[in-house]
Amino acid sequence: MKKPHLSIALISYALTIGVLFASFRREEVKPKGDLMVKVIGQKNSDDVIPLRSVDSLINRTKIVEIPDGQRKLAFVHIGKSGGSTISLLLRNGCHQSVDGKPCEKRRWEKYPGSPGKVETIASKRIQFYLHTPAALSGKLAEYYSRITSIVMVGRDPLERFISAYLVSHPKNVDAVNRRNQQAIADAKARGETPPVWAKYFPRRRTRGDEIQEQAYLGCYPNIDEYAKCLNRPRGDYIYNATIRIPQIEQISLDCGQLARDIIMQRDQSIVGHARWGYQSFRKRKNLFCFI
């Protein structure tokens, strides 16, 4: 069985970091109100990345004391920040919990090793779980109205993006699915419950998926090439390809602009985990963040 295509993360991680940083034009970061602005690639208005300062994201002027007995918690899963692992240790750590439907009983016990032996206080107190489907649903305001506080895990933005890039790579998606399908089949053959990590996500075949696959193939087959794309001027490198879903169509991808659109969250279909970040779930709620 082939291993997932992760050599760029395992062999040249340090080099990758250097290349990615080197691809950002080293401009001085200057405050602009509550924003910090950094320019990449060509100096035009479309390539200005707004970076929120910490103080603009956290309102420290209105601290509300919530009596512990009145505190109601939800866990917000920010993609590629360890949320899947944490959710397995929460009794209400599944998608349907937000709609009042129970998860499987004593789910934390399925977690391998000592972490799953005892239910944590967090597991007992967190009332439901929110992830990208909640953000897509348009019901975040309604969900947030039920709670006083949210719990989330923070991760270095660069590491998080690299992880999002890797998990969306078509070669990785296929390899992980093959590995997990085999693990599920082996466990069932032994009459055992499949391991908790063995999730299977069938490849959806939508127009967006076809474009994403072609972008990985022709624009940035590895993270080093993605970093180079960030510094390509608009129109500098066009990749022409054919997609077949929902119908045969010729497409032209501006690789440099596409890479910047993903970083700046202007593209909604490619490297989806990168899009649904902290800003997607930002609300005026008491926040507990673990880093």
Side-chain angles (χ1 to χ4, degrees):
M1 180 174 62
K2 294 183 179 180
K3 295 182 179 179
H5 182 64
L6 296 174
S7 58
I8 36 185
L10 298 175
I11 299 174
S12 356
Y13 184 75
L15 178 61
T16 298
I17 298 287
V19 171
L20 191 54
F21 271 124
S23 297
F24 282 86
R25 187 178 297 276
R26 294 189 179 279
E27 302 288 340
E28 182 182 359
V29 179
K30 299 181 179 180
K32 184 180 180 182
D34 66 344
L35 295 177
M36 300 176 71
V37 178
K38 195 173 194 177
V39 180
I40 66 170
Q42 299 303 299
K43 292 185 177 180
N44 62 61
S45 59
D46 290 337
D47 293 334
V48 176
I49 299 181
L51 301 175
R52 295 278 182 181
S53 64
V54 172
D55 284 336
S56 75
L57 296 176
I58 302 174
N59 188 342
R60 303 180 189 278
T61 64
K62 298 180 180 180
I63 299 176
V64 178
E65 294 291 339
I66 302 173
D68 191 62
Q70 298 176 21
R71 190 180 300 281
K72 297 179 180 179
L73 298 165
F75 176 64
V76 173
H77 176 182
I78 303 299
K80 312 319 298 172
S81 298
S84 294
T85 299
I86 293 175
S87 70
L88 296 173
L89 292 166
L90 304 176
R91 66 166 66 176
N92 294 316
C94 60
H95 289 288
Q96 64 263 30
S97 63
V98 73
D99 296 318
K101 300 175 182 178
C103 304
E104 63 270 34
K105 293 182 179 179
R106 305 183 70 81
R107 61 189 269 119
W108 61 90
E109 292 183 348
K110 298 179 181 180
Y111 194 89
S114 57
K117 291 181 179 178
V118 179
E119 185 180 15
T120 64
I121 294 174
S123 175
K124 295 175 182 177
R125 298 199 56 177
I126 288 175
Q127 298 186 350
F128 54 84
Y129 162 94
L130 298 172
H131 193 24
T132 47
L136 287 165
S137 71
K139 297 181 180 179
L140 268 185
E142 189 267 313
Y143 296 150
Y144 275 46
S145 69
R146 304 184 208 161
I147 56 174
T148 62
S149 313
I150 60 175
V151 179
M152 66 170 61
V153 178
R155 186 179 183 184
D156 176 88
L158 181 57
E159 291 183 1
R160 178 176 172 267
F161 182 83
I162 291 174
S163 180
Y165 168 91
L166 290 172
V167 80
S168 299
H169 199 296
K171 290 185 178 180
N172 287 342
V173 172
D174 290 341
V176 170
N177 273 341
R178 287 196 300 270
R179 180 201 65 186
N180 290 357
Q181 280 184 293
Q182 188 63 51
I184 292 170
D186 291 345
K188 289 182 176 179
R190 296 190 300 266
E192 300 173 356
T193 301
V196 70
W197 50 263
K199 300 177 182 178
Y200 171 61
F201 299 104
R203 290 283 299 279
R204 295 178 300 113
R205 302 310 301 175
T206 66
R207 184 176 185 273
D209 295 325
E210 292 272 300
I211 293 174
Q212 171 161 293
E213 189 166 294
Q214 291 300 323
Y216 270 99
L217 176 67
C219 290
Y220 36 77
N222 58 57
I223 197 70
D224 292 348
E225 291 300 320
Y226 185 92
K228 292 175 184 176
C229 280
L230 286 174
N231 228 22
R232 289 184 181 276
R234 188 192 301 270
D236 176 65
Y237 179 58
I238 304 296
Y239 178 68
N240 297 310
T242 301
I243 62 175
R244 303 185 180 280
I245 293 179
Q247 59 194 14
I248 296 177
E249 177 185 354
Q250 301 296 318
I251 60 172
S252 296
L253 302 177
D254 185 332
C255 295
Q257 192 57 45
L258 181 59
R260 288 189 290 275
D261 284 347
I262 294 168
I263 285 281
M264 298 166 72
Q265 300 183 355
R266 288 195 294 248
D267 188 277
Q268 300 183 13
S269 61
I270 300 179
V271 193
H273 268 101
R275 178 179 180 233
W276 298 105
Y278 302 101
Q279 291 282 7
S280 306
F281 295 92
R282 180 183 167 213
K283 297 290 180 182
R284 293 181 180 274
K285 286 292 176 183
N286 187 251
L287 169 65
F288 297 92
C289 185
F290 299 92
I291 299 177

